[in-house]
């Protein structure tokens, strides 16, 4: 893979302090030890894990505790969030900004009981805004499995543009094809008043 010059420039300092983010229906906050039971209940689902690269299946208490502990590591850049409902604090999934060879990448997952309610899009909008406001990146990246139309819709609603295909080494599904997307700062600036849909 050839790294474009502007993407390479984005790589230098991608640390984000990870403030609590509040949207219309969600509170995005750091994962806590108290989330372990709910993490297991939502993440121990093959249908969720098959769409992700780093989520194992089965997913038990050991994996949830490791996830919470690793979310506190700040030296790698980006940040990890628990997605919780604003009205009752229920955990619905997780999202984050991860540093990789292309720069900063948006990722998210929502537990199956909460699919189809627009929570992933709401969280993604908040994290896209955070990425561009808290860093000097020129572009933000996202990807999804080619068989994941729900994730593709979230990515499109955030203004990302198709940037090609690649392969993902998924812990559960093996080597799988993905679609890559890119959102540049100029496009983000023109879309700051997100259309709620």
């Amino acid at each position: 893979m050839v790294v474009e010059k502007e993407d390479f420039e984005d790589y230098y300092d991608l640390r984000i302090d990870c403030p609590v983010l509040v949207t219309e229906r969600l509170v995005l906050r750091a994962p806590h030890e108290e989330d372990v039971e709910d993490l297991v209940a939502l993440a121990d689902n093959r249908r969720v894990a098959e769409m992700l690269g780093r989520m194992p299946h089965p997913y038990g208490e050991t994996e949830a505790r490791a996830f919470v502990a690793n979310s506190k590591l700040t030296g790698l850049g980006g940040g990890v969030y628990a997605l919780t409902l604003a009205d009752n604090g229920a955990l619905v999934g997780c999202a984050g900004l991860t540093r990789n060879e292309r720069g900063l990448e948006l990722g998210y997952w929502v537990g199956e009981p909460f699919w189809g309610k627009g929570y992933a899009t709401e969280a993604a909008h908040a994290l896209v805004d955070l990425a561009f406001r808290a860093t000097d990146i020129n572009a933000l990246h996202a990807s999804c499995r080619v068989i994941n139309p729900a994730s593709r819709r979230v990515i499109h609603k955030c203004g990302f543009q198709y940037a090609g295909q690649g392969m993902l080494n998924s812990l559960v599904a093996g080597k799988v094809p993905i679609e890559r997307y890119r959102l540049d700062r100029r496009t983000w600036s023109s879309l700051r008043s997100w259309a709620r849909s």
Side-chain angles (χ1 to χ4, degrees), residues 115-190:
W115 288 358
K117 299 181 186 311
Y119 295 137
T121 301
E122 195 169 323
H125 281 161
L127 289 174
V128 167
D129 287 345
L130 175 66
F132 283 112
R133 288 185 175 132
T135 72
D136 291 329
I137 60 170
N138 291 318
L140 181 63
H141 304 271
S143 62
C144 67
R145 287 197 54 191
V146 297
I147 62 169
N148 192 344
S151 187
R152 185 179 306 109
R153 281 191 300 274
V154 171
I155 291 168
H156 287 166
K157 287 178 183 179
C158 289
F160 284 83
Q161 300 297 310
Y162 181 76
Q165 293 185 340
M167 297 299 286
L168 171 72
N169 287 317
S170 167
L171 291 176
V172 173
K175 195 165 192 162
V176 295
I178 59 168
E179 295 173 348
R180 290 192 172 126
Y181 293 87
R182 185 176 186 277
L183 176 63
D184 62 63
R185 183 173 287 276
R186 182 179 296 172
T187 303
W188 167 75
S189 292
S190 70

Side-chain angles (χ1 to χ4, degrees), residues 59-120:
Y59 191 99
E61 184 177 336
T62 300
E63 290 78 14
R65 289 193 184 285
F67 171 77
V68 171
N70 289 336
S71 72
K72 295 175 170 63
L73 302 176
T74 58
L76 301 175
V80 177
Y81 283 92
L83 310 181
T84 63
L85 296 180
D87 60 355
N88 64 13
L91 183 75
V92 300
C94 293
L97 298 164
T98 306
R99 183 178 187 162
N100 65 25
E101 70 278 358
R102 288 182 301 284
L104 208 54
E105 183 160 0
L106 170 69
Y108 46 84
W109 64 269
V110 172
E112 190 170 2
F114 302 101
W115 288 358
K117 299 181 186 311
Y119 295 137

